[in-house]
Amino acid sequence: MINRRTTLRWLAAAPVASGLAAAVGLAAEPAVREIRISAKKFEFTPSSVTARVGEPVMLLLSSEDRIHGFKMPDFNLRTDIVPGVVTAVQLTPDRAGSFSYFCDIFCGDGHEDMGGTMLVEG
Amino acid sequence: MQTGYDRREFLRLGGIAGVAFASGLFPAAGGAQAQGSDFHFVQFSDTHWGYTGPANPDAAHTLEKAVETVNGLAAQPDFIVFTGDLTHTTDDPKERRARLKRFKEIVSALRVKDVRFMPGEHDASLDRGEAYKEFFGAPNYTFDHKGVHFIALDNVSDPAARVGDEQLAWLAADLKQRKPEDRIVVMTHRPLFDLYPSWDWATADGAKVMELLMPYRNVVVFYGHIHQEHHHVTGHIAHHAAQSLVFPLPAPGSQPRRAPLPFDAATPYRGLGTRDVAVGVASSYALKELPVAKA
């Protein structure tokens, strides 16, 4: 599922996922739930995902067309999403609620609507 | 005064929350008085020429009406600034240039000929400012007017909303030439502080800009992007966002998404307009929001 290219991209993303979202070795944590999110102008699919407080999840981000950004300010997460590369970022939500994610690299008329929501249950 | 405001009007403005900002609200940190000034300029922002949509069925004519209104001011401003999003974005480079050209033609009708432009992400983020520069030149620059130092900062040509290390170095070099008490006005498109990061109302490296500005006691920032009047203070530095000329956006976080406020045919220009900034002596700035068209 996760090839060398993915891992390299994940390593590159780890520093920006520091703080509340910490990256861990994939081989050492096989049980981490994966959430795949695909980006294209001007939407994320899915635009709504769920997680639980304290449950680590691995966001696997990909792009179908051009470079996009992925930003979740509430968890201090941001990374580029480059076509042809799966970007993996681990997140362990520490609180319940509804948290937005959005593209932060301007991508055209509709960019402002390109977002989604993570619902974190307690 | 040359501003068109007499003392009575200035005081009246002072009595209305949110429209007048004087040195008493933002005193100079070191007690030193800035160099005196007495003039006014007008800020246009977010004209989005080329937009078509339900949020403003009159978008093709709103800018022209605002130009007419400003041309009708009894006291013409010393100069006019446009703080970005001159045009609405398009993927087509030819159409982008056509919109920039038409925008330039419309604003050439302004009576005041000293007009300063800067880009917004709609003008510059898809081609890193290439088309914008063909029409308006460099996206960052400085100029001085009657003792006030103006700095135009570009936080949109990088599609990731970064000012960038090169421009930060340019800013640092410019600021080195200033004295701590000099009056400095920064003009930019996006907020330089984290106004509402969940709506991307921020500049990625805005904190680095603010760090460079902090040693200077008389700094004020005028910006656009958020399509509404908004006032904020970071330390001793005030930030004033302007209304747009296309459609208003909701107050930060007031609704789930930052969708344009719906058009109301009964009040077609509600939430739109330009702004007159009277630069007074002793670090005062009196802001007067101007409607699109005369009532």
Side-chain angles (χ1 to χ4, degrees), chain A:
Chain A
M1 290 281 281
I2 298 175
N3 60 22
R4 175 173 168 74
R5 196 171 189 193
T6 301
T7 305
L8 289 171
R9 183 62 190 166
W10 161 68
L11 288 170
V16 298
S18 60
L20 291 174
V24 297
L26 296 180
E29 301 286 346
V32 172
R33 185 162 68 88
E34 296 177 357
I35 299 176
R36 292 185 177 274
I37 301 176
S38 177
K40 69 176 180 184
K41 295 197 294 185
F42 300 99
E43 60 185 11
F44 287 106
T45 305
S47 60
S48 178
V49 299
T50 58
R52 296 188 68 84
V53 173
E55 176 201 32
V57 293
M58 186 67 73
L59 305 178
L60 299 174
L61 311 171
S62 59
S63 172
E64 297 178 32
D65 49 17
R66 51 160 288 157
I67 187 170
H68 291 284
F70 181 88
K71 188 170 184 177
M72 285 188 78
D74 293 299
F75 294 112
N76 196 30
L77 273 179
R78 100 139 304 271
T79 185
D80 292 344
I81 314 174
V82 181
V85 178
V86 176
T87 300
V89 181
Q90 180 168 321
L91 167 67
T92 305
D94 63 349
R95 57 198 187 280
S98 179
F99 305 101
S100 64
Y101 53 87
F102 57 88
C103 174
D104 69 346
I105 294 181
F106 189 81
C107 54
D109 192 7
H111 164 76
E112 288 92 346
D113 301 323
M114 187 169 171
T117 303
M118 174 180 282
L119 181 64
V120 180
E121 298 166 344

Side-chain angles (χ1 to χ4, degrees), chain B residues 80-98:
Chain B
I80 290 168
V81 300
F82 283 79
T83 47
D85 281 355
L86 316 178
T87 60
H88 198 72
T89 193
T90 168
D91 285 349
D92 180 354
K94 280 182 67 178
E95 175 63 15
R96 183 176 307 122
R97 285 167 174 81

Side-chain angles (χ1 to χ4, degrees), chain B residues 1 3 5 10 13 19 21 38-44 73 77-79 81 150 183 185 187 220-222 240 242 274-280 284-290:
Chain B
M1 294 178 70
T3 60
Y5 302 119
F10 183 87
L13 288 171
V19 295
F21 292 83
D38 191 1
F39 63 93
H40 69 131
F41 66 91
V42 165
Q43 180 186 11
F44 284 65
L73 292 175
D78 281 18
F79 58 90
V81 300
F150 288 81
R183 294 189 77 171
V185 173
M187 303 179 300
V220 61
V221 181
F222 291 94
H240 305 292
T274 58
R275 162 184 287 162
D276 188 285
V277 181
V279 182
S284 70
Y285 294 87
L287 315 185
K288 183 177 183 180
E289 305 302 323
L290 305 172

